[in-house]
Amino acid sequence: DATVPAGPTNAAALRALPAALSLAVVAYAYVGYPLAARLVPRRRARSAPAEGAPLPFVTVLVAARNEAPVIEARLADLLAQDYPEDRFEVIVVSDASDDGTDALVAAVADPRVRFFRQERRGGKTAAINLAAPAARGSILVQTDANVSFSRGALAALARAFDDPEVGVALGEVSFCNADRPDVAGGEGLYWRFESWCKRVEAARGLLAVANGGIYALRRELWRPLPPAISGDAAEPLLAAAAGRTTVIAAGARAFERAAGSLGEEYARKVRIIAQQVACWRWLGLAPLPGRIRWAYASHKLLRYAAPAFWAFGLAAGLAGAALGSRAAAAVAALAAAPLVCAPLGLLPLPGPLRRAARVPLYLAMVNVAAVAGVLRGLSGRAQAAWETAVSTRVPPPADPVG
């Protein structure tokens, strides 16, 4: 058979191929991977102890840096948990606070509350490194000072460890200011998508991340971590390397305020991404089971690399368009759409339109933060200590949904 030479149409399509492949990688990171994960068979939980088995002793660890506006409410919320009073304790570690946080904790007249002070600022991980060796619990629960728990959250976390395969259990966090248009169309929507992804992964034994607001770890798996690496980034991976799984504990719910400004949220994202990249550099992927390597690389690392693929796709699409490829021009237009639409999120539009316009603005911010976070993480500049976002330090209502 005679070979038919590539005509102008085929050549134009080939010019669009590099751009299309680059955007396909971005699409896989955000959409393709979660859909592929759904095809993985569900994990079968091991048999749990008989109903009525005693709950384990739990230690709740709270690292606090200048948390005077919220620390009293946080402790009252924890001490009101529906959990046997003689089966849990709360350890607060002040990270060199200078706003009266220490005095507020010391004033709590409850033997379940213990207090440590870190004289030099070291950040959350250093604070946990200081307190965890003194913990009496076989389960370590980590949380933040601006979070509140549903009354049964502690019991739900503890019961997750009835399954001997479980190494880490996390709860689900909801934003109590999610009705604000800026939150609903930005972090709130992204967080709901992230929560759905985590549920998909947890049901299939693929979950390799936690949430610093509410998660628990078997004491036997805890180890001191480098100060610039957060526990919620490293401990699910360490558990997987030890042959344990990470699950979402049904009924373990937490509530907090989302950041009130794009600037605060940007700073938080940069810090989190830098710590995740630092964690990957520290631990690597080799110790992890194959399924966890795939999940972690797809869910986290590939998303952090998405801006590079997107930028290459846009540049390749524009180059192909300059050579006369309509297909390449279409790909370039698709890549440019979020940039063109992002500024609309800054306009004072009515409620529904404002929520919709905040989506491309938030996605643009997330990807800019990914670039900054990756550069910090790769250069060894991940932050161990940071200032809290002022807008998030308003006590959330106690157990908003009962």
Side-chain angles (χ1 to χ4, degrees):
D1 293 337
T3 301
V4 179
T9 301
N10 290 339
L14 287 174
R15 292 189 187 111
L17 188 59
L21 289 176
S22 293
L23 293 192
V25 173
V26 178
Y28 167 78
Y30 280 96
V31 181
Y33 163 69
L35 295 178
R38 283 176 59 88
L39 301 178
V40 175
R42 286 177 173 264
R43 171 183 174 269
R44 292 186 179 182
R46 294 275 297 274
S47 299
E51 187 175 348
L55 288 162
F57 195 96
V58 169
T59 296
V60 183
L61 301 170
V62 183
R65 163 65 184 176
N66 287 350
E67 299 288 7
V70 296
I71 194 64
E72 290 177 295
R74 170 78 279 206
L75 291 175
D77 167 74
L78 288 170
L79 295 175
Q81 280 289 296
D82 186 12
Y83 204 88
E85 291 187 9
D86 62 343
R87 302 298 295 161
F88 80 101
E89 65 177 351
V90 180
I91 299 180
V92 179
V93 187
S94 171
D95 185 24
S97 296
D98 54 18
D99 70 337
T101 295
D102 299 11
L104 293 172
V105 176
V108 177
D110 192 305
R112 291 174 291 174
V113 177
R114 293 199 282 157
F115 176 73
F116 289 77
R117 177 175 171 82
Q118 191 164 247
E119 292 297 339
R120 297 181 62 181
R121 285 196 67 189
K124 181 177 180 178
T125 299
I128 299 302
N129 287 346
L130 174 66
R136 292 181 290 164
S138 60
I139 304 298
L140 304 180
V141 174
Q142 294 193 41
T143 184
D144 294 325
N146 66 317
V147 176
S148 69
F149 284 179
S150 60
R151 288 203 67 221
L154 213 55
L157 288 171
R159 279 299 181 208
F161 294 94
D162 288 346
D163 183 341
E165 290 184 351
V166 171
V168 175
L170 54 143
E172 293 197 271
V173 176
S174 299
F175 294 130
C176 52
N177 58 339
D179 56 337
R180 286 187 49 184
D182 289 354
V183 174
E187 171 67 358
L189 179 62
Y190 187 84
W191 188 251
R192 289 193 294 275
F193 171 68
E194 273 291 282
S195 297
W196 173 77
C197 290
K198 288 178 181 177
R199 287 193 294 271
V200 169
E201 291 174 318
R204 293 155 179 85
L206 298 171
L207 189 56
V209 293
N211 180 285
I214 178 169
Y215 80 98
L217 173 76
R218 285 190 191 273
R219 170 64 181 273
E220 67 201 63
L221 295 177
W222 180 82
R223 58 184 283 189
L225 297 172
I229 294 175
S230 64
D232 56 333
E235 284 164 348
L237 298 176
L238 292 171
R244 302 294 183 94
T245 192
T246 296
V247 300
I248 295 175
R253 302 190 63 192
F255 309 90
E256 66 175 314
R257 292 179 64 84
S261 73
L262 208 61
E264 287 181 333
E265 183 60 18
Y266 170 80
R268 189 180 77 91
K269 287 289 185 188
V270 171
R271 171 174 55 81
I272 290 172
I273 292 169
Q275 290 184 332
Q276 284 280 359
V277 173
C279 177
W280 163 65
R281 291 183 63 205
W282 173 69
L283 182 62
L285 299 180
L288 305 176
R291 69 184 190 284
I292 297 296
R293 284 200 297 270
W294 169 61
Y296 183 68
S298 298
H299 188 163
K300 288 296 179 184
L301 302 183
L302 200 54
R303 281 201 201 171
Y304 300 155
F309 284 99
W310 170 85
F312 179 82
L314 176 60
L318 291 173
L323 294 174
S325 170
R326 291 184 180 180
V331 175
L334 181 63
L339 280 181
V340 173
C341 296
L344 297 176
L346 300 172
L347 300 177
L349 301 171
L353 285 177
R354 184 171 179 80
R355 286 195 294 271
R358 292 288 289 193
V359 174
L361 177 63
Y362 188 83
L363 288 176
M365 182 277 293
V366 165
N367 282 277
V368 173
V371 174
V374 167
L375 291 176
R376 283 191 187 181
L378 291 177
S379 62
R381 294 183 295 115
Q383 293 173 265
W386 60 89
E387 298 298 336
T388 56
V390 175
S391 67
T392 66
R393 262 48 189 179
V394 177
D399 201 358
V401 294

